[in-house]
Amino acid sequence: MKKQALEFSIEKASEKDIHELAQVYLKGYKGLEEYSYTHIDDVIAYLNWLFRRDVAGIFVAKYEGQIIGFVASDGNWFSKREGKVVGAIHELVVLPDYRSKGVGKALVEKVIEYFKSRGLDTAELWVGEENYEAINFYRWLGFESKDRFNYWIRMVKKL
């Protein structure tokens, strides 16, 4: 039996989405709390920081009017390790029930398109060293492990 494709949309996020994004964040990090904020107030403060960094670089995936995932990026991030401005992916969160359905891939593709529109040639992100599902996903998308800091792995993709 062929799996039916999930029909979802990718849209720009707005600050009015913050409370819904916070819920998605907390549900998405269930079981990976060592790599995340765990208190709702901290998550909301973090999301506000992300919007202040680059409001144009935050996109949501919606299914039947509900946010099922989001990506938060910064198209003006100075990477000390790269020695230049790169596109930084700060967060990629997809609700567990919607993983492996193309949502994360579509969100990353959207943000890479955004980085290219800004003239950037490199994307980078940091991922928890034991978040194997995410590490494998990013490798599948062409990101390469470059270095590490404590329990974080920096992954880079040339655009």
Side-chain angles (χ1 to χ4, degrees):
M1 188 165 141
K2 187 177 175 187
K3 270 193 345 188
Q4 188 171 347
L6 184 69
E7 292 191 28
F8 58 90
S9 62
I10 305 290
E11 305 170 14
K12 272 193 173 194
S14 77
E15 292 183 61
K16 69 176 176 48
D17 296 323
I18 283 181
H19 288 282
E20 191 174 356
L21 293 176
Q23 294 304 317
V24 170
Y25 178 97
L26 289 169
K27 290 174 188 169
Y29 272 104
K30 201 87 165 141
L32 294 166
E33 288 84 2
E34 66 269 31
Y35 304 124
S36 69
Y37 295 104
T38 56
H39 190 276
I40 189 72
D41 292 340
D42 295 330
V43 175
I44 289 171
Y46 175 53
L47 290 167
N48 277 306
W49 177 81
L50 291 168
F51 273 93
R52 285 192 309 274
R53 283 293 312 170
D54 189 351
V55 69
I58 304 175
F59 301 93
V60 296
K62 286 188 174 182
Y63 176 68
E64 295 182 347
Q66 301 297 309
I67 296 174
I68 59 170
F70 71 93
V71 63
S73 72
D74 189 333
N76 193 35
W77 188 260
F78 184 81
S79 170
K80 292 177 185 171
R81 287 174 168 83
E82 293 294 314
K84 64 182 179 181
V85 173
V86 301
I89 298 174
H90 291 300
E91 284 301 329
L92 174 65
V93 182
V94 176
L95 290 174
D97 289 347
Y98 297 95
R99 292 181 186 156
S100 299
K101 298 181 186 313
V103 178
K105 179 177 186 261
L107 286 165
V108 172
E109 287 172 348
K110 183 68 174 178
V111 88
I112 286 175
E113 176 185 305
Y114 170 66
F115 292 157
K116 288 179 178 179
S117 78
R118 305 237 353 174
L120 301 173
D121 64 5
T122 305
E124 84 170 20
L125 57 88
W126 292 83
V127 61
E129 68 183 354
E130 293 183 9
N131 189 348
Y132 304 116
E133 186 178 346
I135 292 167
N136 290 331
F137 171 74
Y138 292 126
R139 282 189 180 134
W140 178 70
L141 292 175
F143 284 82
E144 297 177 12
S145 300
K146 288 293 183 183
D147 50 22
R148 63 186 307 123
F149 179 76
N150 292 333
Y151 51 84
W152 297 101
I153 297 170
R154 184 173 74 100
M155 299 185 80
V156 175
K157 177 181 174 98
K158 296 297 177 197
L159 307 180

